[in-house]
Amino acid sequence: MRTVRMLAAAALAGAALLGPAAPGALADAPTPSATAGEDAGPTEAGTTFRTAAAFRPGQEATAQAATGDYLYWVFPADTGERPTVKATVTLPESALRHGPATWRVDVYDGLRRRQPCMYGAQSRTAAKEAASLELACVLRPVRASADAWANDPLPGSYYVRLTVTGLPEEDLGQSFSARVGVDVSDKGGAYATDGALAAPLVPGATTAEPAEQAEEEDRRTAVEAAAPEDGWSSGRWSDRWLWTAAGGVLAALAGIGGHALTRGAGRPPRVPPAT
């Protein structure tokens, strides 16, 4: 009976340890930054990386432009987050168009490296009669650090570029409107890595001198200005540590239980010790 009680206590202790950690590691729910941004996003888009219009996850950025223009927006993404970029293009009137048009959305990180999409229709062709089309790009989870040769997404600014890639030449210059938004899912420690960047990859954070000058003038640095609403994470803590600690405790409890089951009841009291 004592052995059964010990094993039951070990199981209860393991459940208590894993209970708080499981939601953080398994949940794929939007982060607070994805639901807190209720204020309106920008109503214009940039035409280059340098003039990209900034917005935050949860906001909706809009713009009106001429077909053939390149539109740029920028948003922050932090460690452990997986951004999903969505774009809706309202096309010119079908009576003014001469054929189908192919539109594409691309996402670049703070180093202006194009990031591949895990899922989503990154490029679509709209028929001549279509009034609008929707594009989507689900990025890979953002890592705290990576090797210099790797193309892993890192914390910092992410640029969205929207443009038409194929249409009849007569349709160039026609007016269209676009809506862009980003949803962010927290992937927790499943994609966590040890270490962190010295600074997130945001414009103006390549050297320490601009940051020191901004602090002396009591201004926000480029990293602070581009940060999510709740600030940048350190990149060193994740719920992976909770799972590691819980696994160690469970292994110790399993060892104690195995010892209790295999050691037996010992020498009977009426049997003299062997000589």
Side-chain angles (χ1 to χ4, degrees):
M1 290 300 293
R2 183 178 64 176
T3 301
V4 174
R5 288 195 298 269
M6 292 179 63
L7 292 177
L12 291 175
L17 286 170
L18 291 178
L26 301 179
D28 194 12
T31 60
S33 62
T35 58
E38 298 178 355
D39 53 328
T43 58
E44 295 181 352
T47 55
T48 64
F49 284 103
R50 295 176 61 87
T51 60
F55 72 102
R56 298 185 183 278
Q59 294 180 329
E60 184 179 74
T62 59
Q64 292 185 346
T67 304
D69 291 344
Y70 285 85
L71 302 185
Y72 289 83
W73 295 270
V74 60
F75 68 93
D78 205 357
T79 302
E81 297 178 347
R82 186 173 70 181
T84 299
V85 178
K86 299 179 180 179
T88 301
V89 181
T90 302
L91 303 170
E93 296 182 8
S94 59
L96 302 176
R97 307 205 307 266
H98 296 79
T102 302
W103 291 78
R104 181 181 178 90
V105 62
D106 292 296
V107 183
Y108 299 81
D109 64 7
L111 297 178
R112 301 183 184 180
R113 304 175 302 180
R114 192 179 70 84
Q115 292 295 318
C117 302
M118 294 179 61
Y119 317 104
Q122 184 180 7
S123 178
R124 295 184 64 183
T125 300
K128 179 180 180 298
E129 298 78 14
S132 64
L133 82 161
E134 296 182 354
L135 304 171
C137 177
V138 182
L139 298 177
R140 295 173 296 170
V142 179
R143 296 181 176 273
S145 61
D147 293 323
W149 48 263
N151 193 35
D152 294 333
L154 297 171
S157 298
Y158 281 78
Y159 297 89
V160 180
R161 185 179 73 179
L162 175 67
T163 190
V164 63
T165 58
L167 81 167
E169 187 176 353
E170 298 84 356
D171 292 345
L172 286 173
Q174 294 183 1
S175 177
F176 75 95
S177 61
R179 292 183 289 112
V180 174
V182 175
D183 296 328
V184 175
S185 298
D186 187 359
K187 303 305 295 182
Y191 294 89
T193 57
D194 295 330
L197 298 178
L201 302 177
V202 302
T206 55
T207 61
E209 293 181 1
E212 294 176 356
Q213 182 178 358
E215 292 178 356
E216 292 176 357
E217 298 176 359
D218 197 19
R219 294 184 293 105
R220 289 198 304 170
T221 64
V223 174
E224 294 172 343
E229 291 183 352
D230 52 356
W232 299 105
S233 65
S234 65
R236 296 186 179 275
W237 168 258
S238 69
D239 52 14
R240 184 180 61 168
W241 293 98
L242 298 178
W243 283 98
T244 303
V249 173
L250 287 178
L253 294 176
I256 295 174
H259 175 70
L261 288 174
T262 57
R263 69 175 181 176
R267 179 176 56 83
R270 298 179 182 179
V271 177
T275 57

